[in-house]
Amino acid sequence: MPQSATQWGRTPSLPPTHYVDSRIYTDQTLFEEEQEKIFEKVWSLVCHESEVPNAYDFRRCQHMSGKELLVIRGKDMKIRTFYNQCPHRGNVIAFEPSGNAKRLTCIFHLWSFDTKGNCVEITREKEGFQDRLSKKDVGLREVKTDLSAGGFVWVNVDDDCGPLEEFIDGSLDCFQHEFSTKPLEIISYHKAIVPSNYKLWHDTNRELYHEYLHRHNRMVAVMQPGYFDRLYHIFGNGHMSADPMDTRYDAYEGYGGEQRKLGWPGGGDTIHKFSDLFPTMTFNLRPPALRIDTMVPLGPDKTIIEYRGLGIKGDTPAERAERFCDHNAVWGPFGRNLSEDQIAVVGQMMAIKTGRDNSYILHGREENGAHDDICLRHYYSEWSKRMGRSAADPFNEQAAVAAE
Amino acid sequence: MATTKTATKKPRSKSAAAAKPTLKKKVEFRFETLFEREKAVRELIARTCLTMDAYDFNSYLDLCHEDFQYTITTYSPELRKDIIWLDHDKMGMKTLLDVLPLHASDHFLRLTMSRHLSVYTIDYSANDTRASVVSGLQVFNTAKDGGVTELLSVAKYFDTVALEGGKASLLSREVRLDTRMLGETGSLIPF
C-alpha cells in the first residue's frame, strides 16, 4: 500500500536496533563527529607489507581521517608510518604513490628526513635558526604501526590506543591457515571515488542478502546447497565473519565449465570466506585470490574505496596469471561484481541525500542464516556506542517526542 | 504453423549469378593502393567503437579475427608494475559479451557510452598483411536524461589489424588506460 508523508516518516514497527535513521549517512555534523570519535581512534588497515618489500621502499597512503601518510620500510626492515607532511611549512613530502628513497626530501625548501623520521637536513640551518631550533626538534610525526597475521599494515593516529590484536579481537582467526601457510603478495590495486557514504558500502559488504544483485553470486553461491545455512559470527569492536562456503565457480559462464584448479594454500580450493571489520575494512577470500577493501571517507556523500587483490608470494608465472585473471573477472575494475555494488550504493545516496524527508533504513531480517541482518545490527551497535548516539534516533527526536 | 524462410527463398537465376563477377573480384581485392588499405583499417577501428557503443556485441565480434586477443592494461604507480585488467581470446570475449546482458540491467540503463577515437599512426608489415595502429581514445558516459556527460577514461588503442583476403579484421587490441578510476560506478563493458 502506498504511504502518506506521515506514514513514511513513522518509525518502523521494529525494535530500534533493527533500523537506522537515514541521516546517519547524509548529515555533515555526524560525519565530522565520526572523524573525531571513530576514524581518529580505531586501527586502520592502510596497505600490505608486500607494497614496501625492500629497504627504503615507501608507500603513500591516505588515512581514513583524511590525513596523508607515508608507510616506509627502513634499512632495519622495520615498517614505520609518518604523516606525509613536512614539519617546516606543511607541504606533502612524497607526491608519488610509491617509491624507494634513502632520504625523503621536501621539494619546497629541501628539508630531508631519514626512514626513521629523523630530520637530517635543514637547508641553511645555522643561518636561519642559529641555535633556536635544530634538526632534533623537527622530526616527522610518527603514527603507531603494527602488522597483523598475513602481513597487513595497520596504523592508528591515536597515540593512546590499545594494541592491534585487541582491536581485531579474533575476527580474522578464520583466515588463520590461509594467512600463515605461505606469505602473501599484492597482485592488484585500484580505487574508486563514489558519491556515497562509506557505511553504505560497508553494509553491502557485510550482508549477503544483496547477492541477488549479482548474477555471478546468484549462480556460484545463492543457488548452491548450504548457502542459506551460513551463520554470522560477531566479535568485539563491531567486527564479524561468516561461515565459509564451498562455492561452485563452474556454475557461472566464463570459467570454461570447470571448477577452478588453483586454490589457496592452507584453505579449500573453492571455499569462500569473509570478515568485515569496523568501520571500513573487508577481507574476502574467493580462491585463488583475496580481496581487501578499505575506505577513506571524504564526506558524508563521498568515499574513496581502495581495492587490493592478493595472491601468494612465489607463484609461478602461470599461477600468478590465473590468480590475476580470476580476481579481475569478478573484482577487477571491469569485473562482474564491483561495478554492480557501486551502482547500488550510488543509487542509495541519490535517494536519501536530501536528508530532509526523514526515512529509515531497515536492518530487520531475522532468519538465523545467510540473510540475517545481525551483521548490520552489530555494526550499528558499535557505531552507536562510539558516537554516543542511537543510530535509529541520532538526534534524540523520538526520545523527545516520547517524553512529551 | 511454423514456416521457414528457406522454403520460400527463390533460387538465384543464372543471369543473377552471371552479374556477380564484379563482386567476386572485390572479394579477392588485396588493397593495392595505400588509400584503400588505409581506409579499410580506419573504418575497421571506427566500427569496433560504433558497434560497442551500440552494445551490438555480435557485430563487434564479426569485426574480430578468429585469433583475436583482447587486453586492458595499465601501469600501477602504487605497485610500480604493469597490470592486466582484462585478457580474453575471441571465445572468452564472446562468453563475456554474451553474459553481460544478463547482469544488472540497470547498469545498461545508466550508461550511454561513447568512444571517441583518433587514429594516430598506421604501420604496415613488410608483406602488407598486418597493420599496427595506435589510436587515442576517450570514453564518455552520458546520463540517460542527457544531462551530464562524464569522461570515464582516457586511453590508447594498440591494435593489430589483419589484412587478408581483401578484408581487414581486428587481430589484437590492447586498451592501454591512462585513467584508472572509471567514473562513479566503473564499467562492466570493455572499452
Coordinates of all heavy atoms in Angstrom, one line a residue, chain A residues 248-298:
Chain A
R248 N 30.6 -22.8 -6.1 CA 30.6 -23.6 -7.4 C 30.9 -22.6 -8.5 O 30.0 -22.1 -9.2 CB 29.3 -24.3 -7.6 CG 29.0 -25.3 -6.6 CD 30.0 -26.5 -6.6 NE 30.3 -27.0 -8.0 CZ 31.0 -28.1 -8.2 NH1 31.5 -28.7 -7.2 NH2 31.2 -28.5 -9.4
Y249 N 32.2 -22.3 -8.7 CA 32.6 -21.4 -9.8 C 32.2 -21.9 -11.2 O 32.0 -21.1 -12.1 CB 34.1 -21.1 -9.8 CG 34.5 -20.4 -8.5 CD1 35.2 -21.1 -7.5 CD2 34.1 -19.1 -8.3 CE1 35.6 -20.4 -6.3 CE2 34.4 -18.5 -7.1 CZ 35.2 -19.1 -6.1 OH 35.5 -18.5 -5.0
D250 N 32.1 -23.2 -11.3 CA 31.7 -23.8 -12.6 C 30.3 -23.5 -13.0 O 29.9 -23.7 -14.1 CB 32.0 -25.3 -12.7 CG 31.3 -26.0 -11.6 OD1 30.9 -25.4 -10.6 OD2 31.2 -27.2 -11.7
A251 N 29.5 -23.0 -12.1 CA 28.1 -22.7 -12.4 C 27.9 -21.4 -13.1 O 26.9 -21.0 -13.6 CB 27.3 -22.6 -11.1
Y252 N 29.0 -20.6 -13.2 CA 29.0 -19.3 -13.9 C 29.6 -19.4 -15.3 O 30.7 -20.0 -15.4 CB 29.6 -18.2 -13.0 CG 29.6 -16.9 -13.7 CD1 28.5 -16.1 -13.6 CD2 30.7 -16.4 -14.3 CE1 28.4 -14.9 -14.2 CE2 30.7 -15.1 -14.9 CZ 29.6 -14.4 -14.9 OH 29.5 -13.1 -15.4
E253 N 29.0 -18.8 -16.3 CA 29.5 -18.8 -17.6 C 30.9 -18.1 -17.6 O 31.0 -17.0 -17.0 CB 28.6 -18.1 -18.6 CG 27.2 -18.6 -18.6 CD 26.3 -17.9 -17.6 OE1 26.8 -17.4 -16.6 OE2 25.1 -18.0 -17.8
G254 N 31.8 -18.6 -18.3 CA 33.1 -17.9 -18.5 C 34.2 -18.6 -17.8 O 35.4 -18.2 -17.9
Y255 N 33.9 -19.6 -17.0 CA 35.0 -20.3 -16.3 C 35.3 -21.7 -17.0 O 35.8 -22.6 -16.4 CB 34.7 -20.5 -14.8 CG 34.7 -19.2 -14.0 CD1 33.7 -18.9 -13.2 CD2 35.8 -18.4 -14.2 CE1 33.7 -17.7 -12.5 CE2 35.8 -17.2 -13.5 CZ 34.8 -16.8 -12.6 OH 34.8 -15.7 -12.0
G256 N 34.8 -21.8 -18.2 CA 35.1 -23.0 -19.0 C 34.3 -24.2 -18.6 O 34.7 -25.3 -19.0
G257 N 33.3 -24.0 -17.7 CA 32.6 -25.2 -17.3 C 33.3 -26.1 -16.4 O 32.9 -27.2 -16.1
E258 N 34.4 -25.6 -15.8 CA 35.2 -26.4 -14.9 C 35.4 -25.7 -13.6 O 35.4 -24.5 -13.5 CB 36.6 -26.7 -15.5 CG 36.6 -27.5 -16.8 CD 38.0 -27.5 -17.4 OE1 38.9 -27.0 -16.8 OE2 38.1 -28.1 -18.5
Q259 N 35.5 -26.5 -12.6 CA 35.8 -26.0 -11.3 C 37.3 -25.5 -11.3 O 38.1 -26.1 -12.0 CB 35.6 -27.1 -10.2 CG 35.4 -26.6 -8.8 CD 34.3 -25.6 -8.5 OE1 34.0 -24.7 -9.3 NE2 33.7 -25.7 -7.3
R260 N 37.6 -24.4 -10.6 CA 38.9 -23.9 -10.7 C 39.9 -25.0 -10.1 O 39.6 -25.7 -9.1 CB 39.0 -22.6 -9.9 CG 38.2 -21.5 -10.5 CD 38.3 -20.3 -9.6 NE 37.4 -19.3 -10.1 CZ 37.3 -18.1 -9.5 NH1 38.0 -17.8 -8.5 NH2 36.5 -17.2 -10.0
K261 N 41.1 -24.9 -10.7 CA 42.1 -25.9 -10.2 C 43.1 -25.2 -9.2 O 43.7 -25.9 -8.4 CB 42.9 -26.4 -11.4 CG 42.1 -27.3 -12.4 CD 42.9 -27.8 -13.5 CE 42.0 -28.7 -14.4 NZ 41.0 -28.0 -15.1
L262 N 43.3 -24.0 -9.4 CA 44.2 -23.3 -8.5 C 43.5 -22.8 -7.2 O 42.6 -22.0 -7.4 CB 44.9 -22.1 -9.2 CG 45.9 -21.3 -8.4 CD1 47.1 -22.2 -8.1 CD2 46.4 -20.1 -9.2
G263 N 43.9 -23.2 -6.1 CA 43.2 -22.8 -4.9 C 44.1 -21.8 -4.1 O 44.7 -21.0 -4.6
W264 N 44.0 -22.0 -2.8 CA 44.7 -21.1 -1.9 C 45.4 -22.0 -0.8 O 44.7 -22.7 -0.1 CB 43.8 -20.1 -1.2 CG 44.5 -19.0 -0.4 CD1 44.9 -19.1 0.9 CD2 44.8 -17.7 -0.9 NE1 45.5 -17.9 1.2 CE2 45.5 -17.1 0.2 CE3 44.7 -17.1 -2.1 CZ2 46.0 -15.8 0.0 CZ3 45.2 -15.8 -2.2 CH2 45.8 -15.1 -1.2
P265 N 46.7 -21.8 -0.6 CA 47.4 -22.7 0.3 C 46.8 -22.5 1.7 O 46.6 -21.4 2.2 CB 48.9 -22.2 0.3 CG 49.0 -21.4 -1.0 CD 47.6 -20.9 -1.3
G266 N 46.6 -23.6 2.4 CA 46.1 -23.6 3.7 C 44.6 -23.6 3.8 O 44.0 -23.6 4.9
G267 N 43.9 -23.5 2.7 CA 42.5 -23.4 2.7 C 41.9 -24.3 1.6 O 42.6 -24.8 0.7
G268 N 40.6 -24.4 1.6 CA 40.0 -25.2 0.5 C 40.1 -24.4 -0.8 O 40.3 -23.2 -0.9
D269 N 40.1 -25.2 -1.9 CA 40.3 -24.6 -3.2 C 39.1 -23.7 -3.7 O 39.3 -22.8 -4.5 CB 40.6 -25.7 -4.3 CG 41.9 -26.3 -4.1 OD1 42.7 -25.8 -3.2 OD2 42.2 -27.3 -4.8
T270 N 38.0 -24.0 -3.1 CA 36.8 -23.2 -3.6 C 36.0 -22.6 -2.4 O 34.9 -22.3 -2.6 CB 35.8 -24.1 -4.4 OG1 35.5 -25.3 -3.6 CG2 36.5 -24.6 -5.7
I271 N 36.7 -22.5 -1.3 CA 36.0 -22.0 -0.1 C 35.9 -20.5 -0.1 O 37.0 -19.9 -0.1 CB 36.7 -22.6 1.2 CG1 36.6 -24.1 1.3 CG2 36.1 -21.9 2.4 CD1 35.2 -24.6 1.5
H272 N 34.7 -20.0 0.0 CA 34.6 -18.5 0.1 C 34.4 -18.2 1.6 O 33.6 -18.8 2.3 CB 33.3 -18.1 -0.7 CG 33.0 -16.6 -0.5 ND1 31.8 -16.2 -0.1 CD2 33.8 -15.5 -0.6 CE1 31.8 -14.9 0.1 NE2 33.0 -14.4 -0.2
K273 N 35.2 -17.2 2.0 CA 35.0 -16.8 3.4 C 35.3 -15.3 3.5 O 36.1 -14.8 2.7 CB 35.9 -17.6 4.4 CG 37.3 -17.7 4.1 CD 38.1 -18.3 5.2 CE 37.8 -19.8 5.4 NZ 38.7 -20.4 6.4
F274 N 34.7 -14.6 4.4 CA 35.0 -13.2 4.6 C 34.8 -12.7 6.0 O 34.1 -13.4 6.8 CB 34.1 -12.4 3.6 CG 32.6 -12.4 4.0 CD1 32.1 -11.3 4.7 CD2 31.8 -13.4 3.5 CE1 30.7 -11.3 5.0 CE2 30.4 -13.4 3.8 CZ 29.9 -12.4 4.6
S275 N 35.5 -11.6 6.3 CA 35.4 -10.9 7.6 C 35.2 -9.5 7.3 O 35.9 -8.9 6.4 CB 36.6 -11.2 8.5 OG 36.6 -12.4 9.0
D276 N 34.4 -8.8 8.1 CA 34.3 -7.3 7.9 C 34.6 -6.7 9.2 O 34.0 -7.0 10.3 CB 32.8 -7.0 7.5 CG 32.6 -7.3 6.0 OD1 33.1 -6.5 5.2 OD2 32.0 -8.3 5.7
L277 N 35.5 -5.8 9.2 CA 36.0 -5.1 10.4 C 35.5 -3.7 10.5 O 35.6 -2.9 9.5 CB 37.5 -5.2 10.6 CG 38.0 -6.5 11.1 CD1 37.7 -7.7 10.3 CD2 39.5 -6.4 11.4
F278 N 35.0 -3.3 11.6 CA 34.5 -1.9 11.9 C 35.7 -1.0 11.8 O 36.8 -1.3 12.3 CB 33.9 -1.9 13.3 CG 33.3 -0.5 13.6 CD1 32.0 -0.2 13.4 CD2 34.1 0.4 14.3 CE1 31.5 1.0 13.7 CE2 33.6 1.6 14.6 CZ 32.3 1.9 14.3
P279 N 35.6 0.2 11.2 CA 34.5 0.6 10.5 C 34.5 0.5 9.0 O 33.5 0.8 8.3 CB 34.5 2.1 10.9 CG 35.9 2.5 11.0 CD 36.6 1.2 11.4
T280 N 35.7 0.2 8.4 CA 35.8 0.3 6.9 C 36.6 -0.8 6.2 O 36.9 -0.7 5.1 CB 36.5 1.6 6.6 OG1 37.8 1.6 7.2 CG2 35.8 2.8 7.0
M281 N 36.9 -1.9 6.9 CA 37.8 -2.9 6.3 C 37.0 -4.2 6.0 O 36.2 -4.7 6.8 CB 38.9 -3.3 7.2 CG 40.0 -2.2 7.3 SD 39.7 -0.8 8.3 CE 39.6 -1.4 10.0
T282 N 37.3 -4.8 4.8 CA 36.8 -6.1 4.4 C 37.8 -7.0 3.9 O 38.7 -6.6 3.1 CB 35.7 -5.9 3.3 OG1 34.6 -5.1 3.8 CG2 35.2 -7.2 2.8
F283 N 37.8 -8.3 4.4 CA 38.7 -9.3 3.9 C 37.8 -10.4 3.2 O 36.9 -10.9 3.9 CB 39.4 -10.0 5.1 CG 40.5 -9.2 5.7 CD1 40.1 -8.1 6.6 CD2 41.8 -9.4 5.6 CE1 41.0 -7.3 7.2 CE2 42.8 -8.6 6.2 CZ 42.4 -7.6 7.0
N284 N 38.1 -10.7 2.0 CA 37.1 -11.5 1.2 C 38.0 -12.5 0.4 O 38.7 -12.1 -0.6 CB 36.3 -10.6 0.3 CG 35.1 -11.2 -0.2 OD1 34.9 -12.4 -0.2 ND2 34.1 -10.4 -0.7
L285 N 37.9 -13.8 0.7 CA 38.7 -14.8 0.0 C 37.8 -15.6 -0.9 O 36.9 -16.3 -0.4 CB 39.4 -15.7 1.1 CG 40.3 -16.8 0.5 CD1 41.5 -16.2 -0.3 CD2 40.8 -17.7 1.6
R286 N 38.0 -15.5 -2.1 CA 37.5 -16.5 -3.1 C 38.7 -17.1 -3.9 O 39.2 -16.4 -4.8 CB 36.6 -15.8 -4.1 CG 35.2 -15.4 -3.7 CD 34.5 -14.8 -4.9 NE 33.4 -14.0 -4.5 CZ 32.2 -14.4 -4.2 NH1 31.9 -15.7 -4.3 NH2 31.2 -13.6 -3.8
P287 N 39.1 -18.2 -3.5 CA 40.3 -18.8 -4.1 C 40.1 -18.7 -5.7 O 39.0 -19.0 -6.1 CB 40.4 -20.2 -3.6 CG 39.7 -20.2 -2.3 CD 38.6 -19.1 -2.5
P288 N 41.2 -18.3 -6.4 CA 42.6 -18.2 -5.9 C 43.0 -16.8 -5.5 O 44.2 -16.6 -5.5 CB 43.3 -18.7 -7.1 CG 42.5 -18.2 -8.3 CD 41.1 -18.3 -7.9
A289 N 42.1 -15.9 -5.2 CA 42.5 -14.6 -4.8 C 41.8 -14.1 -3.6 O 40.7 -14.5 -3.2 CB 42.3 -13.6 -6.0
L290 N 42.5 -13.1 -2.9 CA 42.0 -12.5 -1.7 C 41.8 -11.0 -2.1 O 42.6 -10.4 -2.7 CB 43.0 -12.6 -0.6 CG 42.7 -11.8 0.7 CD1 41.5 -12.5 1.5 CD2 43.9 -11.8 1.6
R291 N 40.6 -10.5 -1.7 CA 40.3 -9.1 -1.9 C 40.2 -8.4 -0.6 O 39.6 -8.9 0.4 CB 39.0 -9.0 -2.7 CG 38.4 -7.6 -2.7 CD 37.0 -7.5 -3.4 NE 36.2 -6.5 -2.8 CZ 34.8 -6.5 -2.9 NH1 34.2 -7.6 -3.5 NH2 34.1 -5.6 -2.4
I292 N 40.8 -7.2 -0.5 CA 40.8 -6.4 0.7 C 40.2 -5.0 0.3 O 40.7 -4.4 -0.7 CB 42.2 -6.1 1.3 CG1 42.9 -7.4 1.5 CG2 42.1 -5.3 2.5 CD1 42.4 -8.3 2.6
D293 N 39.1 -4.6 0.9 CA 38.6 -3.3 0.7 C 38.9 -2.4 1.9 O 38.8 -2.8 3.1 CB 37.0 -3.3 0.7 CG 36.5 -3.9 -0.6 OD1 37.3 -4.5 -1.4 OD2 35.2 -3.9 -0.7
T294 N 39.4 -1.2 1.7 CA 39.5 -0.2 2.7 C 38.9 1.1 2.2 O 38.7 1.3 1.0 CB 41.0 0.1 3.1 OG1 41.7 0.4 1.9 CG2 41.6 -1.2 3.7
M295 N 38.5 2.0 3.1 CA 37.9 3.2 2.6 C 38.5 4.5 3.3 O 38.9 4.4 4.4 CB 36.4 3.2 2.9 CG 35.6 2.2 2.0 SD 33.9 2.3 2.4 CE 33.8 1.1 3.7
V296 N 38.4 5.5 2.5 CA 38.7 6.9 3.0 C 37.5 7.7 2.8 O 37.2 8.2 1.7 CB 39.9 7.5 2.3 CG1 40.2 8.9 2.9 CG2 41.2 6.6 2.4
P297 N 36.7 7.9 3.9 CA 35.5 8.8 3.8 C 35.9 10.2 3.6 O 36.6 10.8 4.4 CB 34.7 8.5 5.1 CG 35.4 7.3 5.7 CD 36.8 7.3 5.2
L298 N 35.5 10.9 2.5 CA 35.9 12.3 2.2 C 34.8 13.2 2.7 O 35.0 14.4 2.8 CB 36.1 12.5 0.7 CG 37.2 11.6 0.1 CD1 37.3 11.8 -1.4 CD2 38.6 11.9 0.7

